[in-house]
Amino acid sequence: MAIAELTQAQRDQLLADHPGWGLARDGKAIERKLEFADFNEAFGFMTRVALLADKADHHPEWFNVYNRVELTLTTHDAGGLSQRDADMASAIDALL
């Protein structure tokens, strides 16, 4: 079953629902940059996200240096953003 890419209206709603996230890759992804107190806190957050991502079988692209974590969500099978990304953004936001 094909995964549907979000419409413009759905992308707009996604950003309205998740103000910490912004569009990236010409609207085909969303990204969020976070800063934590130290590496331990950043890595702990990444570990919690990894557990959620594995359960959802939808994994973020991410980058970490010391206390900074940068996340990018996109659905390659959909060719851009899908409901899976909106759900993962919600799950990640709930951890913060």
Side-chain angles (χ1 to χ4, degrees), residues 8-48:
Q8 181 64 48
Q10 290 170 318
R11 280 195 303 269
D12 292 344
Q13 188 61 53
L14 170 61
L15 294 175
D17 291 344
H18 303 283
W21 295 84
L23 285 178
R25 299 182 187 166
D26 296 323
K28 299 291 186 182
I30 54 173
E31 65 183 7
R32 183 159 187 181
K33 297 178 181 182
L34 301 165
E35 191 169 315
F36 297 91
D38 55 28
F39 177 75
N40 191 45
E41 189 176 316
F43 192 82
F45 168 77
M46 291 176 67
T47 301
R48 291 188 299 280

Side-chain angles (χ1 to χ4, degrees), residues 14 17-18 21 73 85-95:
L14 170 61
D17 291 344
H18 303 283
W21 295 84
L73 298 175
D85 301 303
D87 294 344
M88 184 57 65
S90 292
I92 290 169
D93 287 351
L95 294 175

Side-chain angles (χ1 to χ4, degrees), residues 24-89:
R25 299 182 187 166
D26 296 323
K28 299 291 186 182
I30 54 173
E31 65 183 7
R32 183 159 187 181
K33 297 178 181 182
L34 301 165
E35 191 169 315
F36 297 91
D38 55 28
F39 177 75
N40 191 45
E41 189 176 316
F43 192 82
F45 168 77
M46 291 176 67
T47 301
R48 291 188 299 280
V49 170
L51 293 171
L52 291 173
D54 241 16
K55 187 175 181 180
D57 193 28
H58 190 59
H59 303 86
E61 298 173 20
W62 53 16
F63 179 77
N64 165 245
V65 173
Y66 183 59
N67 67 333
R68 291 180 290 122
V69 176
E70 297 176 14
L71 296 139
T72 303
L73 298 175
T74 190
T75 303
H76 299 284
D77 294 346
L81 290 167
S82 76
Q83 186 59 45
R84 297 183 81 194
D85 301 303
D87 294 344
M88 184 57 65

